Amino acid sequence: MTNVKKQAIKAVIFDLDGTLVDSEPNYFEAEKKLFAEYGINNFDFEMKKKYVGKSTKDTLTDYKKNYSIEESVETLTKKMNKYYLDIAKNNTVIFPEMRKFLELLKANNYRMALASGSSSEIIDEILFITGLKDFFDVTLSSESVRKGKPAPDVFLEAAKLLGIPPENCLVLEDSNYGVEAAKNASMYCIAIPYFTEKPLAQSFLMSDLLLKDGIKSFSAEKAFKWMRNIHKE
């Protein structure tokens, strides 16, 4: 958006995992169970970290190749989704300030979308479990587009379904891949890194607002004030 007049924000697009809900530990446990089926017992959280923000399909495609798993990606997805939902049904935590932000946006008639790398089955179930479904005008999985993050496809499709130009959309993201996708879509982006160890990935510096300390530094009221005034700067 350099050298271009800033546009008012008319819609907000949320990532799901690590942004709205603290789901990464649940995914890690599900992936460990999946790997155990194939005799792989050395998968640890450090290995998991580099896939945070990637779509389920892209992640499992890499796992299949790296660990020489013969099952199809489709079969692996079904198995992992089952493991994940068994865990998530009783262990999904919504970040409180994110719920407040959703409520603020809803009260002020902003259109909202959820655009996630998780499968549609996971998105629907998590929104049902958490009671967040009614906040969103559009929900979209990377399964529905050609390329997952960091490609902009899922965000551009969300904007299209919302009926809002990309330059009038704000994305909230916790991963470097998601930030890249948002900026590749020419959208505003608030980056809230899930992993805050320094140095942060360079991609985070592309964001319009970077909260280096992650979700603990996110304030619904401050974020709302910032987005209402960004086009006036």
Side-chain angles (χ1 to χ4, degrees):
M1 295 184 188
T2 306
N3 299 324
V4 177
K5 183 180 178 181
K6 291 187 175 181
Q7 302 294 311
I9 292 169
K10 298 179 181 179
V12 182
I13 304 173
F14 290 82
D15 173 53
L16 177 62
D17 301 298
T19 300
L20 276 180
V21 298
D22 190 9
S23 54
E24 298 303 345
N26 294 343
Y27 264 116
F28 176 57
E29 292 302 320
E31 288 166 4
K32 282 203 301 183
K33 288 177 180 290
L34 178 66
F35 281 132
E37 277 197 42
Y38 302 98
I40 301 164
N41 299 303
N42 63 341
F43 184 73
D44 60 28
F45 205 65
E46 286 302 312
M47 297 166 72
K48 160 71 177 168
K49 278 184 181 181
K50 66 180 181 179
Y51 289 99
V52 169
K54 282 206 164 192
S55 70
T56 298
K57 180 181 178 181
D58 289 346
T59 297
L60 290 176
T61 298
D62 273 9
Y63 288 167
K64 174 179 165 63
K65 178 181 178 182
N66 294 341
Y67 293 97
S68 301
I69 299 172
E70 293 184 1
E71 297 270 29
S72 68
V73 171
E74 291 74 18
T75 297
L76 293 175
T77 300
K78 288 179 182 178
K79 287 183 176 183
M80 194 175 78
N81 284 354
K82 184 180 185 306
Y83 283 131
Y84 175 79
L85 288 175
D86 285 345
I87 297 165
K89 283 175 182 176
N90 298 308
N91 293 285
T92 297
V93 177
I94 308 167
F95 294 120
E97 284 295 314
M98 280 296 169
R99 181 183 279 278
K100 289 181 185 177
F101 193 46
L102 289 169
E103 291 168 350
L104 265 175
L105 294 169
K106 192 77 168 178
N108 286 273
N109 300 312
Y110 281 91
R111 291 180 62 73
M112 287 182 275
L114 183 75
S116 171
S118 287
S119 66
S120 298
E121 177 188 8
I122 296 292
I123 293 170
D124 291 344
E125 189 64 25
I126 294 303
L127 291 181
F128 175 76
I129 290 168
T130 57
L132 297 178
K133 185 175 179 60
D134 289 343
F135 283 106
F136 297 104
D137 302 288
V138 169
T139 59
L140 191 66
S141 166
S142 290
E143 292 176 335
S144 305
V145 296
R146 186 166 173 266
K147 292 183 179 179
K149 304 170 189 177
D153 301 29
V154 72
F155 290 140
L156 290 173
E157 183 65 16
K160 180 181 177 182
L161 293 172
L162 286 169
I164 304 292
E167 60 268 24
N168 295 115
C169 293
L170 166 67
V171 173
L172 275 76
E173 264 287 354
D174 72 294
S175 76
N176 56 312
Y177 298 117
V179 172
E180 286 183 51
K183 299 313 295 179
N184 286 337
S186 298
M187 297 179 179
Y188 291 105
C189 181
I190 297 178
I192 312 158
Y194 186 83
F195 296 110
T196 56
E197 296 93 338
K198 307 300 186 291
L200 293 171
Q202 285 293 307
S203 304
F204 283 113
L205 300 179
M206 298 168 64
S207 64
D208 299 278
L209 178 62
L210 171 58
L211 304 180
K212 294 181 180 179
D213 293 324
I215 192 64
K216 69 181 181 182
S217 60
F218 179 79
S219 160
E221 290 186 2
K222 288 180 180 178
F224 187 71
K225 182 178 180 180
W226 176 86
M227 63 170 278
R228 297 272 277 197
N229 292 305
I230 186 65
H231 68 289
K232 300 175 184 177
E233 294 180 0

